[in-house]
C-alpha cells in the first residue's frame, strides 16, 4: 500500500519501489481493494524481495513495518533512511469487515505520512531549481 500511495503523491518526481525481507509472493487482495477506494490502482504491483535492489542506485529507504528497519541492508549510494512503523494489516484477524477496517485504517495512516513527505520532497526540488 505504501508504494501505491507514495507513487501517486510523488507523481513523476521520484521512482518508488516496494520490497521486503520476506515478501508474501502476492499483493494482498484487501490492499488492492482499499487503495481502489481512493483511486489508486495497485492491481499490477508485485511482491518483491529487497535483494532485487542491491545493485541499483537507491537514495532513500523508507521502512514501514515492525522491525523492517533492522532487517533492511544499507544500499550503495543510500543517503536517507526513514522508518514509520505501521501495523501490518495482513496479520489482522476477525470477520472480513473487521479485517477490511484494519486495512482502511493502515491505508489512512500511511496516507497521512506519505503525502506530506512527497509534497515536501517536491517543494525541496522546486527551491533547488
Amino acid at each position: 500500500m505504501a508504494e501505491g500511495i507514495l507513487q501517486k503523491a510523488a507523481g513523476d518526481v521520484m521512482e518508488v519501489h516496494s520490497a521486503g525481507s520476506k515478501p508474501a509472493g502476492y499483493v494482498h487482495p484487501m490492499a488492492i481493494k482499499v487503495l481502489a477506494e481512493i483511486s489508486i490502482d495497485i492491481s499490477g504491483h508485485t511482491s518483491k524481495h529487497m535483494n532485487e535492489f542491491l545493485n541499483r542506485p537507491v537514495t532513500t529507504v523508507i521502512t514501514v513495518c515492525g522491525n523492517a528497519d533492522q532487517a533492511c541492508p544499507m544500499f550503495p549510494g543510500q543517503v536517507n533512511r526513514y522508518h514509520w512503523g505501521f501495523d501490518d494489516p495482513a496479520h489482522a484477524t476477525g470477520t472480513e469487515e473487521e479485517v477490511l477496517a484494519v486495512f482502511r485504517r493502515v491505508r489512512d495512516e500511511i496516507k497521512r505520512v506519505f503525502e506530506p513527505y512527497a509534497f515536501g520532497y517536491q517543494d525541496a526540488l522546486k527551491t533547488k531549481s
Side-chain angles (χ1 to χ4, degrees):
M1 290 193 301
E3 177 182 357
I5 290 168
L6 185 55
Q7 207 166 41
K8 181 172 183 181
D12 59 357
V13 300
M14 71 173 70
E15 189 176 336
V16 179
H17 298 283
S18 177
S21 59
K22 297 177 187 170
Y26 66 95
V27 177
H28 200 290
M30 286 201 182
I32 294 169
K33 179 178 180 145
V34 300
L35 285 184
E37 292 174 355
I38 60 169
S39 302
I40 298 175
D41 180 10
I42 61 167
S43 62
H45 289 202
T46 59
S47 174
K48 300 171 284 299
H49 195 280
M50 63 187 169
N51 289 349
E52 290 182 37
F53 299 94
L54 287 175
N55 294 321
R56 295 175 62 179
V58 174
T59 56
T60 301
V61 172
I62 301 172
T63 54
V64 296
C65 287
N67 69 346
D69 58 327
Q70 297 163 7
C72 192
M74 289 297 290
F75 288 84
Q78 179 182 325
V79 177
N80 304 303
R81 187 180 193 107
Y82 305 103
H83 177 72
W84 287 290
F86 303 108
D87 291 337
D88 185 345
H91 298 303
T93 58
T95 66
E96 183 174 336
E97 197 53 44
E98 290 168 334
V99 172
L100 196 54
V102 173
F103 270 85
R104 287 179 177 131
R105 176 182 56 80
V106 174
R107 172 202 64 198
D108 294 345
E109 291 171 358
I110 293 170
K111 197 169 181 281
R112 278 194 296 275
V113 170
F114 278 31
E115 284 181 345
Y117 174 81
F119 299 150
Y121 185 88
Q122 291 166 338
D123 284 346
L125 289 177
K126 289 176 192 171
T127 61
K128 287 181 182 179
S129 50

